mmCIF file of all heavy atoms in Angstrom:
data_model
loop_
_atom_site.group_PDB
_atom_site.id
_atom_site.type_symbol
_atom_site.label_atom_id
_atom_site.label_comp_id
_atom_site.label_asym_id
_atom_site.label_seq_id
_atom_site.Cartn_x
_atom_site.Cartn_y
_atom_site.Cartn_z
ATOM 1 N N GLN A 1154 -27.388 -39.564 10.425
ATOM 2 C CA GLN A 1154 -28.110 -39.176 11.628
ATOM 3 C C GLN A 1154 -27.739 -37.742 11.992
ATOM 4 O O GLN A 1154 -26.693 -37.232 11.570
ATOM 5 C CB GLN A 1154 -27.768 -40.115 12.784
ATOM 6 C CG GLN A 1154 -26.277 -40.223 13.066
ATOM 7 C CD GLN A 1154 -25.965 -41.286 14.094
ATOM 8 O OE1 GLN A 1154 -26.854 -41.972 14.569
ATOM 9 N NE2 GLN A 1154 -24.686 -41.417 14.425
ATOM 10 N N ASN A 1155 -28.607 -37.107 12.753
ATOM 11 C CA ASN A 1155 -28.354 -35.720 13.135
ATOM 12 C C ASN A 1155 -27.080 -35.635 13.983
ATOM 13 O O ASN A 1155 -26.919 -36.377 14.960
ATOM 14 C CB ASN A 1155 -29.535 -35.159 13.917
ATOM 15 C CG ASN A 1155 -30.770 -35.064 13.043
ATOM 16 O OD1 ASN A 1155 -30.674 -34.882 11.824
ATOM 17 N ND2 ASN A 1155 -31.944 -35.210 13.656
ATOM 18 N N ALA A 1156 -26.205 -34.720 13.595
ATOM 19 C CA ALA A 1156 -24.945 -34.568 14.310
ATOM 20 C C ALA A 1156 -25.175 -33.822 15.617
ATOM 21 O O ALA A 1156 -25.923 -32.833 15.663
ATOM 22 C CB ALA A 1156 -23.935 -33.816 13.453
ATOM 23 N N ASN A 1157 -24.510 -34.313 16.650
ATOM 24 C CA ASN A 1157 -24.618 -33.629 17.943
ATOM 25 C C ASN A 1157 -23.879 -32.293 17.945
ATOM 26 O O ASN A 1157 -24.235 -31.376 18.684
ATOM 27 C CB ASN A 1157 -24.059 -34.529 19.049
ATOM 28 C CG ASN A 1157 -24.871 -35.807 19.205
ATOM 29 O OD1 ASN A 1157 -26.073 -35.812 18.928
ATOM 30 N ND2 ASN A 1157 -24.227 -36.881 19.617
ATOM 31 N N LYS A 1158 -22.863 -32.192 17.121
ATOM 32 C CA LYS A 1158 -22.054 -30.983 17.069
ATOM 33 C C LYS A 1158 -21.514 -30.822 15.662
ATOM 34 O O LYS A 1158 -21.203 -31.811 14.991
ATOM 35 C CB LYS A 1158 -20.907 -31.066 18.087
ATOM 36 C CG LYS A 1158 -20.154 -29.770 18.271
ATOM 37 C CD LYS A 1158 -19.131 -29.899 19.398
ATOM 38 C CE LYS A 1158 -18.439 -28.568 19.644
ATOM 39 N NZ LYS A 1158 -17.455 -28.669 20.758
ATOM 40 N N GLU A 1159 -21.403 -29.592 15.218
ATOM 41 C CA GLU A 1159 -20.889 -29.299 13.884
ATOM 42 C C GLU A 1159 -19.691 -28.366 13.983
ATOM 43 O O GLU A 1159 -19.628 -27.506 14.866
ATOM 44 C CB GLU A 1159 -21.971 -28.673 12.998
ATOM 45 C CG GLU A 1159 -23.051 -29.640 12.557
ATOM 46 C CD GLU A 1159 -24.021 -29.015 11.582
ATOM 47 O OE1 GLU A 1159 -24.020 -27.759 11.490
ATOM 48 O OE2 GLU A 1159 -24.764 -29.742 10.917
ATOM 49 N N PHE A 1160 -18.774 -28.558 13.048
ATOM 50 C CA PHE A 1160 -17.588 -27.722 12.934
ATOM 51 C C PHE A 1160 -17.575 -27.109 11.537
ATOM 52 O O PHE A 1160 -18.341 -27.511 10.655
ATOM 53 C CB PHE A 1160 -16.306 -28.532 13.165
ATOM 54 C CG PHE A 1160 -16.229 -29.200 14.505
ATOM 55 C CD1 PHE A 1160 -16.744 -30.476 14.698
ATOM 56 C CD2 PHE A 1160 -15.636 -28.558 15.583
ATOM 57 C CE1 PHE A 1160 -16.677 -31.101 15.931
ATOM 58 C CE2 PHE A 1160 -15.565 -29.171 16.821
ATOM 59 C CZ PHE A 1160 -16.086 -30.442 16.995
ATOM 60 N N CYS A 1161 -16.699 -26.149 11.345
ATOM 61 C CA CYS A 1161 -16.497 -25.553 10.020
ATOM 62 C C CYS A 1161 -15.019 -25.292 9.815
ATOM 63 O O CYS A 1161 -14.269 -25.062 10.766
ATOM 64 C CB CYS A 1161 -17.307 -24.265 9.847
ATOM 65 S SG CYS A 1161 -16.795 -22.908 10.911
ATOM 66 N N THR A 1162 -14.594 -25.334 8.567
ATOM 67 C CA THR A 1162 -13.195 -25.098 8.211
ATOM 68 C C THR A 1162 -12.952 -23.605 8.020
ATOM 69 O O THR A 1162 -13.852 -22.775 8.138
ATOM 70 C CB THR A 1162 -12.843 -25.863 6.939
ATOM 71 O OG1 THR A 1162 -13.636 -25.348 5.848
ATOM 72 C CG2 THR A 1162 -13.151 -27.348 7.097
ATOM 73 N N ASP A 1163 -11.700 -23.262 7.706
ATOM 74 C CA ASP A 1163 -11.371 -21.862 7.436
ATOM 75 C C ASP A 1163 -12.090 -21.348 6.198
ATOM 76 O O ASP A 1163 -12.342 -20.141 6.075
ATOM 77 C CB ASP A 1163 -9.858 -21.717 7.262
ATOM 78 C CG ASP A 1163 -9.102 -21.956 8.557
ATOM 79 O OD1 ASP A 1163 -9.726 -21.834 9.630
ATOM 80 O OD2 ASP A 1163 -7.895 -22.283 8.502
ATOM 81 N N SER A 1164 -12.411 -22.230 5.258
ATOM 82 C CA SER A 1164 -13.124 -21.831 4.038
ATOM 83 C C SER A 1164 -14.619 -21.755 4.232
ATOM 84 O O SER A 1164 -15.339 -21.364 3.309
ATOM 85 C CB SER A 1164 -12.795 -22.812 2.902
ATOM 86 O OG SER A 1164 -11.407 -22.853 2.653
ATOM 87 N N GLY A 1165 -15.125 -22.160 5.403
ATOM 88 C CA GLY A 1165 -16.553 -22.108 5.670
ATOM 89 C C GLY A 1165 -17.280 -23.404 5.415
ATOM 90 O O GLY A 1165 -18.516 -23.442 5.560
ATOM 91 N N LEU A 1166 -16.585 -24.475 5.024
ATOM 92 C CA LEU A 1166 -17.240 -25.757 4.790
ATOM 93 C C LEU A 1166 -17.659 -26.371 6.116
ATOM 94 O O LEU A 1166 -16.898 -26.368 7.085
ATOM 95 C CB LEU A 1166 -16.296 -26.701 4.041
ATOM 96 C CG LEU A 1166 -15.826 -26.226 2.651
ATOM 97 C CD1 LEU A 1166 -14.859 -27.238 2.048
ATOM 98 C CD2 LEU A 1166 -17.012 -25.998 1.727
ATOM 99 N N VAL A 1167 -18.864 -26.929 6.139
ATOM 100 C CA VAL A 1167 -19.415 -27.520 7.347
ATOM 101 C C VAL A 1167 -18.956 -28.972 7.450
ATOM 102 O O VAL A 1167 -19.081 -29.741 6.481
ATOM 103 C CB VAL A 1167 -20.950 -27.435 7.350
ATOM 104 C CG1 VAL A 1167 -21.516 -28.082 8.609
ATOM 105 C CG2 VAL A 1167 -21.387 -25.979 7.249
ATOM 106 N N VAL A 1168 -18.410 -29.312 8.618
ATOM 107 C CA VAL A 1168 -17.965 -30.682 8.879
ATOM 108 C C VAL A 1168 -18.754 -31.180 10.094
ATOM 109 O O VAL A 1168 -18.486 -30.762 11.225
ATOM 110 C CB VAL A 1168 -16.450 -30.754 9.142
ATOM 111 C CG1 VAL A 1168 -16.022 -32.191 9.424
ATOM 112 C CG2 VAL A 1168 -15.679 -30.182 7.965
ATOM 113 N N PRO A 1169 -19.711 -32.077 9.909
ATOM 114 C CA PRO A 1169 -20.490 -32.567 11.049
ATOM 115 C C PRO A 1169 -19.714 -33.635 11.825
ATOM 116 O O PRO A 1169 -18.849 -34.329 11.284
ATOM 117 C CB PRO A 1169 -21.741 -33.146 10.398
ATOM 118 C CG PRO A 1169 -21.279 -33.575 9.039
ATOM 119 C CD PRO A 1169 -20.214 -32.600 8.629
ATOM 120 N N SER A 1170 -20.033 -33.746 13.090
ATOM 121 C CA SER A 1170 -19.438 -34.800 13.912
ATOM 122 C C SER A 1170 -20.247 -36.090 13.786
ATOM 123 O O SER A 1170 -21.425 -36.068 13.414
ATOM 124 C CB SER A 1170 -19.381 -34.351 15.369
ATOM 125 O OG SER A 1170 -20.694 -34.154 15.869
ATOM 126 N N VAL A 1171 -19.595 -37.200 14.095
ATOM 127 C CA VAL A 1171 -20.243 -38.510 14.030
ATOM 128 C C VAL A 1171 -20.104 -39.189 15.388
ATOM 129 O O VAL A 1171 -19.231 -38.849 16.190
ATOM 130 C CB VAL A 1171 -19.613 -39.390 12.924
ATOM 131 C CG1 VAL A 1171 -19.883 -38.790 11.557
ATOM 132 C CG2 VAL A 1171 -18.119 -39.572 13.144
ATOM 133 N N SER A 1172 -20.981 -40.129 15.618
ATOM 134 C CA SER A 1172 -20.918 -40.890 16.867
ATOM 135 C C SER A 1172 -19.749 -41.874 16.819
ATOM 136 O O SER A 1172 -19.213 -42.182 15.743
ATOM 137 C CB SER A 1172 -22.233 -41.623 17.097
ATOM 138 O OG SER A 1172 -22.473 -42.551 16.046
ATOM 139 N N TYR A 1173 -19.383 -42.377 17.997
ATOM 140 C CA TYR A 1173 -18.263 -43.309 18.039
ATOM 141 C C TYR A 1173 -18.623 -44.619 17.339
ATOM 142 O O TYR A 1173 -17.774 -45.240 16.686
ATOM 143 C CB TYR A 1173 -17.870 -43.588 19.493
ATOM 144 C CG TYR A 1173 -16.817 -44.654 19.621
ATOM 145 C CD1 TYR A 1173 -15.504 -44.422 19.226
ATOM 146 C CD2 TYR A 1173 -17.152 -45.911 20.147
ATOM 147 C CE1 TYR A 1173 -14.546 -45.419 19.330
ATOM 148 C CE2 TYR A 1173 -16.194 -46.913 20.260
ATOM 149 C CZ TYR A 1173 -14.884 -46.657 19.842
ATOM 150 O OH TYR A 1173 -13.929 -47.641 19.957
ATOM 151 N N GLU A 1174 -19.870 -45.063 17.392
ATOM 152 C CA GLU A 1174 -20.285 -46.278 16.715
ATOM 153 C C GLU A 1174 -20.159 -46.129 15.199
ATOM 154 O O GLU A 1174 -19.684 -47.046 14.506
ATOM 155 C CB GLU A 1174 -21.721 -46.629 17.088
ATOM 156 C CG GLU A 1174 -21.903 -47.106 18.525
ATOM 157 C CD GLU A 1174 -21.839 -45.955 19.525
ATOM 158 O OE1 GLU A 1174 -21.899 -44.767 19.082
ATOM 159 O OE2 GLU A 1174 -21.738 -46.228 20.734
ATOM 160 N N LEU A 1175 -20.609 -44.975 14.656
ATOM 161 C CA LEU A 1175 -20.491 -44.763 13.216
ATOM 162 C C LEU A 1175 -19.027 -44.635 12.810
ATOM 163 O O LEU A 1175 -18.616 -45.114 11.726
ATOM 164 C CB LEU A 1175 -21.281 -43.517 12.810
ATOM 165 C CG LEU A 1175 -21.322 -43.198 11.318
ATOM 166 C CD1 LEU A 1175 -21.933 -44.359 10.531
ATOM 167 C CD2 LEU A 1175 -22.097 -41.904 11.066
#
Side-chain angles (χ1 to χ4, degrees):
Q1154 55 187 2
N1155 294 330
N1157 296 331
K1158 190 174 184 179
E1159 288 185 344
F1160 301 89
C1161 66
T1162 64
D1163 292 339
S1164 302
L1166 299 178
V1167 179
V1168 179
S1170 63
V1171 294
S1172 62
Y1173 174 71
E1174 290 76 13
L1175 183 59

